[in-house]
Amino acid sequence: MQMDDKKKRQSMIVYVIVAIVAAFAIRSVLYPSLTSGAIEEVSYSDFLGKVDSGEVKQVQLDTGASQIRFTTGDGDSKKTYKTTQFPNDDDLVKKLQDKHVDFSATIPDQNSNLWLYMLISYGIPLLLIFGGGWLLNRRLRKQMGDDAPSMNFGGGFGMGGGLGRSNVREVKGKETGVTFKDVAGQDEAKESLAEIVSFLEHPEKYAAIGARCPRGALLVGPPGTGKTLLAKAVAGEANVPFFQISGSEFVEMFVGRGAAKVRDLFKQANEKAPCIVFIDEIDTIGKRRDTSLNTNDEREQTLNQLLTEMDGFDNHKGIVVLGATNRPESLDVALLRPGRFDRRVPVELPDLAGRESILKLHAGDVKMVEGVDFGAIARQTPGASGADLANMINEAALRAVRCGRSRVTQEDITESVDVVIAGEKKKSTVLSEHEKEVVAYHETGHAIVAAVQNGRRPVSKITIVPRTSGALGFTMQTEEDERYLTTREEYKEQIAVLCGGRAAEELIFGQVTSGAANDIERATKIARAMVTQLGMSERFGMVALGETRNRYLGGGSELTCSDETATQIDAEVRAIVEEGRQMAMKTLTENRFKLHEIAHYLQKKETITGEEFMNILTRDDGFAPKFKQEPAE
């Protein structure tokens, strides 16, 4: 809606500018003497000299404009001159006749000429400017309400008008169409927000005991986890008006406009209390203030006004401000103190049970065959957000339609997981037989190293079909259960699995390819986190040498140590990754026969299931691997 309003305003301004340009173009056509730049102006004596020398061919005397126009030369050499303020020369006509010069004279009505000049030069442009401004002002007032102040200077170039009004979108509680039953996988967040709903529904119970409602709650978490959905659910549960606006909509070119929008927002909220005010991406206006010279006065004024408004409103009326951000570390401390955003509600990525419940919730809107195993899909998607899972269900439904089925099957959902994680199958990429063989050994190397570990992440699928993400193949592992702690040995095993592909290439072909680029990046990231953040390095011990930046946006860490220590950290990271590579090489060397057998089978079929892989790997033919035993807990 806001974008439509903005486009309409921009269109009106363009119309006004076009009208002004058209007016001046008309003036130029009707009054060419005012705009022509191809005529050279000379003195009257120069004109007489050219007449005496016989250069002048044609003369036009305009007594109304006190101007003489004359031409010299013929054809391409023809030039036009003009002279003004010529004296009353009685001999001029005789001179022109003697030289056989063609001449004429115009004696216009001076009054009508003056009025025409004034009308064309000033009247029409001013009429178009103010007429366009009046139309623009009328449309803005109609869109923003009758109480919107008028704009200045014709409506197109003033700083008044609707610029001080917030573009907030108001929705009545039930009209949000969302309640807590529509939110899955965020039980803790719903429980924390349920108290706000209770206050909005029964404020008298809290007033009787002297409790006050939290002024604000900050929803913090990665993108796609349902922060906006939760805010709408609170309004839907409490059945109160819901005001939604993005932090970026407060950012204005003119100083003070953002603060005016904040005032208008809370004015509307006071009139509709009790209500929910939801500011999405609040870090846009709530960034931490500093003392550097390079500051944004407009943003800071907007933030100061927000702080003032949150202090000033009467929270007994039931006004609750909800903010959402995935960059909480960048927010100003004054915004986070008690009395403003009293609560911080984590909206994290869903766990195993949460992913399963989200899949079931979104599957309720789609026709599916009986017996779909959502638990298996949930185990295949660790780290997926609610938005990712919803997209998987939608992709499965689209695939079912493409395949001509009326219901979604388990295969459709499984394939949709691959599409969301790795992209669509890339039919245009055809690998040569040698490249196909290298990729098959690479992916089999990952799978064997992963399977020979303690079995906590068994292989569920191996494929060498290229994907649109750029991957030429991938090995999918499935979590049997949810784990919240990871040991140093488990991290080393993960690095070994990532090194398994490169190790297989070295072992079989004696050379390496570019196919391990992503594996190297991920292995290095794990090793660096072990050294700088997790205290899992024997050389440095339990010391934090780095800070995590933008943890909800996938940001890496930033070292907080000396250059000498950073050099030692690099050496330690290399040692840990090399240890993982040696572990992978040892495992593949011991299971070389199985590596050949499974790689050839994969090269032939292109995609195999985890069950097929394990059947070949564990078959008792004298070459079955010895699996590591998981320690007793």
Side-chain angles (χ1 to χ4, degrees), residues 52-124:
D52 292 337
S53 64
E55 297 179 42
V56 178
K57 302 297 183 184
Q58 187 178 21
V59 173
Q60 180 181 3
L61 285 76
D62 188 347
T63 58
S66 299
Q67 185 181 86
I68 296 177
R69 285 172 176 263
F70 63 95
T71 60
T72 62
D74 295 310
D76 295 338
S77 62
K78 183 178 181 180
K79 293 185 66 176
T80 301
Y81 298 87
K82 70 177 180 178
T83 177
T84 59
Q85 297 180 350
F86 58 89
N88 187 13
D89 189 350
D90 296 333
D91 298 330
L92 176 60
V93 174
K94 187 174 183 305
K95 289 181 181 179
L96 296 176
Q97 289 175 341
D98 292 342
K99 296 294 183 180
H100 305 289
V101 177
D102 183 16
F103 68 93
S104 61
T106 58
I107 308 175
D109 184 353
Q110 293 187 358
N111 291 331
S112 62
N113 183 64
L114 177 62
W115 282 109
L116 180 63
Y117 173 81
M118 296 294 293
L119 177 63
I120 295 175
S121 299
Y122 304 104
I124 293 177

Side-chain angles (χ1 to χ4, degrees), residues 516-528:
N518 182 254
D519 301 330
I520 295 170
E521 181 181 349
R522 292 166 61 191
T524 304
K525 187 175 181 179
I526 294 173
R528 188 168 292 277

Side-chain angles (χ1 to χ4, degrees), residues 319-339:
I319 301 175
V320 178
V321 183
L322 299 180
T325 181
N326 42 42
R327 300 184 60 188
E329 72 283 349
S330 68
L331 293 178
D332 194 274
V333 292
L335 198 62
L336 302 176
R337 74 159 175 80

Side-chain angles (χ1 to χ4, degrees), residues 93 99 156 184 206 285 293 312 407 416 423 438 460 470 505 548 628:
V93 174
K99 296 294 183 180
Y206 295 86
I285 59 170
L293 295 177
R407 293 184 178 271
S416 72
V438 172
S460 61
E505 293 178 16
T548 303
K628 292 175 65 176

Side-chain angles (χ1 to χ4, degrees), residues 78-309:
K78 183 178 181 180
K79 293 185 66 176
T80 301
Y81 298 87
K82 70 177 180 178
T83 177
T84 59
Q85 297 180 350
F86 58 89
N88 187 13
D89 189 350
D90 296 333
D91 298 330
L92 176 60
V93 174
K94 187 174 183 305
K95 289 181 181 179
L96 296 176
Q97 289 175 341
D98 292 342
K99 296 294 183 180
H100 305 289
V101 177
D102 183 16
F103 68 93
S104 61
T106 58
I107 308 175
D109 184 353
Q110 293 187 358
N111 291 331
S112 62
N113 183 64
L114 177 62
W115 282 109
L116 180 63
Y117 173 81
M118 296 294 293
L119 177 63
I120 295 175
S121 299
Y122 304 104
I124 293 177
L126 288 175
L127 180 64
L128 290 173
I129 291 173
F130 283 100
W134 177 79
L135 289 174
L136 175 61
N137 185 48
R138 183 179 177 184
R139 294 192 64 174
L140 287 177
R141 288 173 63 84
K142 184 176 180 181
Q143 294 165 8
M144 299 179 180
D146 293 335
D147 59 338
S150 299
M151 299 188 73
N152 301 320
F153 197 58
F157 306 98
M159 291 175 57
L163 295 178
R165 291 184 60 84
S166 64
N167 298 317
V168 64
R169 294 169 291 282
E170 179 188 353
V171 181
K172 294 182 179 179
K174 293 298 183 183
E175 293 179 5
T176 61
V178 182
T179 58
F180 280 155
K181 67 180 179 59
D182 300 306
V183 182
Q186 298 293 346
D187 295 337
E188 292 81 5
K190 289 195 291 186
E191 184 178 344
S192 181
L193 294 171
E195 194 170 47
I196 294 177
V197 174
S198 176
F199 179 90
L200 293 173
E201 289 180 329
H202 308 288
E204 67 280 353
K205 291 196 308 182
Y206 295 86
I209 200 172
R212 63 175 179 81
C213 179
R215 289 180 182 270
L218 189 65
L219 307 178
V220 178
T225 50
K227 297 184 289 295
T228 302
L229 192 67
L230 274 168
K232 290 181 178 179
V234 173
E237 286 285 336
N239 193 21
V240 297
F242 178 73
F243 293 90
Q244 180 179 359
I245 192 169
S246 173
S248 61
E249 295 180 42
F250 290 106
V251 179
E252 288 286 349
M253 178 189 301
F254 304 113
V255 175
R257 295 298 92 196
K261 287 188 173 185
V262 173
R263 287 192 295 270
D264 181 73
L265 169 62
F266 280 90
K267 177 184 176 183
Q268 294 183 56
N270 270 295
E271 293 171 354
K272 297 295 180 68
C275 62
I276 300 289
V277 175
F278 176 58
I279 305 176
D280 199 6
E281 303 298 341
I282 195 172
D283 51 275
T284 306
I285 59 170
K287 286 182 181 178
R288 183 181 294 111
R289 293 165 291 183
D290 54 41
T291 57
S292 65
L293 295 177
N294 186 22
T295 60
N296 187 326
D297 290 338
E298 165 62 5
R299 181 179 60 78
E300 290 193 3
Q301 284 192 25
T302 305
L303 172 59
N304 291 335
Q305 188 63 45
L306 177 61
L307 298 176
T308 302
E309 293 292 339

